[in-house]
Amino acid sequence: MNYSDVFRDKELVQGLAKRIAELTRGRTEPLVFMEVCGTHTNAIYQFGLRSLLPPEVRLISGPGCPVCVTPNSYLDCAVALCRLPDVIIASFGDMLRVPGSSSSLMEERAKGADIRVVYSPLDAVQLAAKNPDKRVVFLGVGFETTAPTIAGSILAAKAQGLSNYFVLASHKTMPQPMAILSADPELQVDGYICPAHVSAIIGADAYRFLCEEYKVPCVVTGFEPTDVLQGVEMLVRQAIAGESKVEIQYSRVVRWEGNAKAQAMLADVFTPFDAPWRGIGVLPGSGLRIADKYAEFDAELAIPVQVEELKEHKGCLCGEILKGKVAPFDCPLFGGKCTPESPVGACMVSSEGTCAAAYKYGR
Amino acid sequence: MCVGVPMQVVSVDGDFAMTEVDGVKREASLMMLDQEVKVGDFVIVHAGFAISKLDEEEAKATLELMREVYSPELMG
Ligand code: SF4
Ligand code: SF4
């Protein structure tokens, strides 16, 4: 079975949209649902799902992309590291174009820094094995989906006895920002489209406290158009019935308890810390840094650098975008000063950033 | 960045599997998977790791349920 085709069935998509419209007809207050994964944001724009929904249902984007929520201070540190003559930076591609305070990795590469894009953190470990006279620093960003792959790379480097592999770790975990946004009186969130592959790791049970403490419905959905729409329909039903519970639409991948092995890897290699989020600020216990036990792999400890003074970009509304308070079109720089070719803010860089998706697919 | 792609396992060699989708092959570490996989299974692959098995029965059940409930001709 080809999973992407069958879950894009036009008739099913229309049937789902029709059912959502029937359920919400005549509501005076729209129901507002937030997605917190960039892959969902991208799917919603790509398949034009907003245009299929009735005006009574509004979808807003939250802090869904690890690239977007990574603050300038992290990028500045990466830039400082890449200027060292014996350092190779290895990173997922998205990070290269994100502007830091005064430079980006892309600009540094043009000036001669050794920066490699890798598909897997294991490729970065191999790079270290092949370049024993260099220090390879992997840029460890990402949510709970990506963090275990980076934990895996540290375990692999240890098993191979490498002493020249390091991670600049600033991983983020998802449920905390959702709790903060739920408690924000300026935001009305009637339900969450919970991230799919983050949930494959942490399990749907991880959202239960949100339903209990903030009375907000949570549905874990997949990324295909029928997945997202069925998820929205489940949220609509809960909202109308005045319920708030966790449901799994994406049952072909996500289990209540999640992936125990990946969770154990996270608990072994990382330790929670108070992580800074772009636009949101420091959230207690919302990040993962390298545990003391693996300190030898921590780039921050092993390779201290002088980082330039922090500057934010004038006029960029990324912070408000990431909190779901404004839409890309509300930003005066959108499409003019700020485009995917020359991004001012992070949300325009990552292919899954809200501004980039809005630019590519239009309203 | 966290895009996981459903891929089919074509061979398993210790801690690694070769996976394929639409003719594209990719090696995936099985280090993170807490379920057994065999040739023919679908897994979600992200950044070089299989992160989860894709349950075909559940996929079929989801679709069937959707077809029953949301097919336009049935809804009138
Ligand atoms: S990197 Fe992309 S896929 Fe991963 S969480 Fe962010 S937006 Fe979602
Ligand atoms: S359009 Fe550009 S400047 Fe405006 S919020 Fe988005 S990324 Fe920032």
Side-chain angles (χ1 to χ4, degrees):
Chain A
M1 144 158 43
N2 184 328
Y3 286 100
S4 40
D5 285 350
V6 287
F7 286 100
R8 285 176 194 183
D9 184 310
K10 230 181 172 167
E11 289 215 327
L12 278 184
V13 167
Q14 282 165 356
L16 277 156
K18 195 169 158 199
R19 178 58 56 90
I20 292 167
E22 277 166 11
L23 285 168
T24 54
R25 187 161 300 141
R27 281 189 68 90
T28 45
E29 281 275 295
L31 288 168
V32 181
F33 301 129
M34 177 182 267
E35 89 273 356
V36 289
C37 170
T39 308
H40 279 138
T41 305
N42 207 57
I44 287 163
Y45 278 102
Q46 184 186 351
F47 300 110
L49 299 184
R50 279 197 182 84
S51 65
L52 295 177
L53 291 172
E56 290 86 356
V57 175
R58 225 157 61 80
L59 299 185
I60 59 172
S61 307
C65 178
V67 176
C68 302
V69 299
T70 298
N72 285 0
S73 53
Y74 179 89
L75 289 150
D76 294 344
C77 189
V79 164
L81 282 168
C82 83
R83 289 175 176 164
L84 298 176
D86 68 332
V87 164
I88 301 176
I89 297 279
S91 170
F92 296 128
D94 277 0
M95 291 296 287
L96 265 55
R97 293 169 55 237
V98 184
S101 290
S102 71
S103 184
S104 71
L105 292 167
M106 197 77 118
E107 285 170 43
E108 295 300 312
R109 185 154 82 169
K111 286 190 231 152
D114 194 348
I115 297 167
R116 319 270 182 105
V117 170
V118 294
Y119 159 71
S120 164
L122 292 179
D123 299 342
V125 175
Q126 279 204 346
L127 203 58
K130 281 194 200 133
N131 294 278
D133 54 332
K134 300 270 185 180
R135 295 185 283 183
V136 172
V137 179
F138 186 81
L139 301 184
V141 296
F143 295 129
E144 294 96 326
T145 327
T146 311
T149 70
I150 293 154
S153 76
I154 289 176
L155 296 173
K158 191 171 175 98
Q160 292 176 39
L162 294 178
S163 58
N164 64 331
Y165 177 71
F166 307 93
V167 174
L168 186 64
S170 185
H171 302 98
K172 307 270 194 292
T173 51
M174 206 12 113
Q176 294 89 335
M178 293 167 78
I180 299 288
L181 295 174
S182 303
D184 189 331
E186 272 181 52
L187 259 184
Q188 173 217 357
V189 179
D190 297 302
Y192 284 107
I193 297 173
C194 295
H197 292 152
V198 162
S199 306
I201 306 299
I202 65 177
D205 273 335
Y207 307 105
R208 215 176 280 273
F209 81 101
L210 288 174
C211 299
E212 284 162 8
E213 278 173 40
Y214 304 99
K215 305 277 172 260
V216 57
C218 289
V219 177
V220 180
T221 87
F223 295 123
E224 297 299 336
T226 52
D227 288 327
V228 176
L229 288 177
Q230 193 184 22
V232 169
E233 198 243 20
M234 290 159 87
L235 285 169
V236 165
R237 281 184 189 280
Q238 281 200 49
I240 289 175
E243 289 176 332
S244 56
K245 56 186 180 190
V246 187
E247 292 180 286
I248 304 178
Q249 182 278 333
Y250 196 38
S251 59
R252 59 191 187 277
V253 170
V254 173
R255 291 169 286 153
W256 289 103
E257 71 282 8
N259 177 336
K261 208 164 165 188
Q263 287 169 22
M265 284 165 69
L266 288 179
D268 177 33
V269 176
F270 296 121
T271 192
F273 83 111
D274 302 343
W277 293 62
R278 184 190 296 275
I280 301 178
V282 173
L283 301 185
S286 69
L288 295 172
R289 63 170 181 76
I290 296 172
D292 294 345
K293 195 174 149 188
Y294 296 97
E296 62 197 282
F297 298 99
D298 191 335
E300 225 177 307
L301 301 175
I303 319 175
V305 280
Q306 193 81 38
V307 177
E308 65 185 300
E309 200 188 324
L310 189 68
K311 271 205 313 265
E312 296 296 340
H313 303 287
K314 256 187 138 165
C316 173
L317 296 181
C318 280
E320 299 303 296
I321 299 255
L322 292 168
K323 284 182 281 194
K325 291 191 178 170
V326 306
F329 305 96
D330 300 331
C331 175
L333 304 184
F334 180 85
K337 275 212 175 97
C338 182
T339 61
E341 291 72 44
S342 100
V344 174
C347 297
M348 193 58 102
V349 174
S350 161
S351 51
E352 283 140 1
T354 305
C355 296
Y359 186 87
K360 186 163 169 204
Y361 299 108
R363 209 177 281 260
Chain B
M1 196 176 100
C2 337
V3 192
V5 188
M7 317 248 325
Q8 193 164 27
V9 175
V10 291
S11 64
V12 179
D13 180 11
D15 256 354
F16 284 88
M18 188 51 77
T19 63
E20 181 176 359
V21 69
D22 298 334
V24 178
K25 284 203 172 148
R26 231 162 218 184
E27 194 179 49
S29 165
L30 300 176
M31 187 198 262
M32 208 171 129
L33 209 60
D34 61 352
Q35 299 148 287
E36 283 289 316
V37 286
K38 50 184 190 320
V39 171
D41 283 347
F42 282 86
V43 288
I44 304 285
V45 178
H46 167 59
F49 288 75
I51 63 166
S52 173
K53 210 164 134 173
L54 206 149
D55 188 325
E56 272 206 271
E57 292 309 311
E58 282 285 343
K60 283 186 188 137
T62 307
L63 271 174
E64 229 157 80
L65 188 85
M66 279 198 237
R67 290 224 165 91
E68 251 169 53
V69 184
Y70 307 112
S71 284
E73 66 268 28
L74 293 175
M75 287 168 55

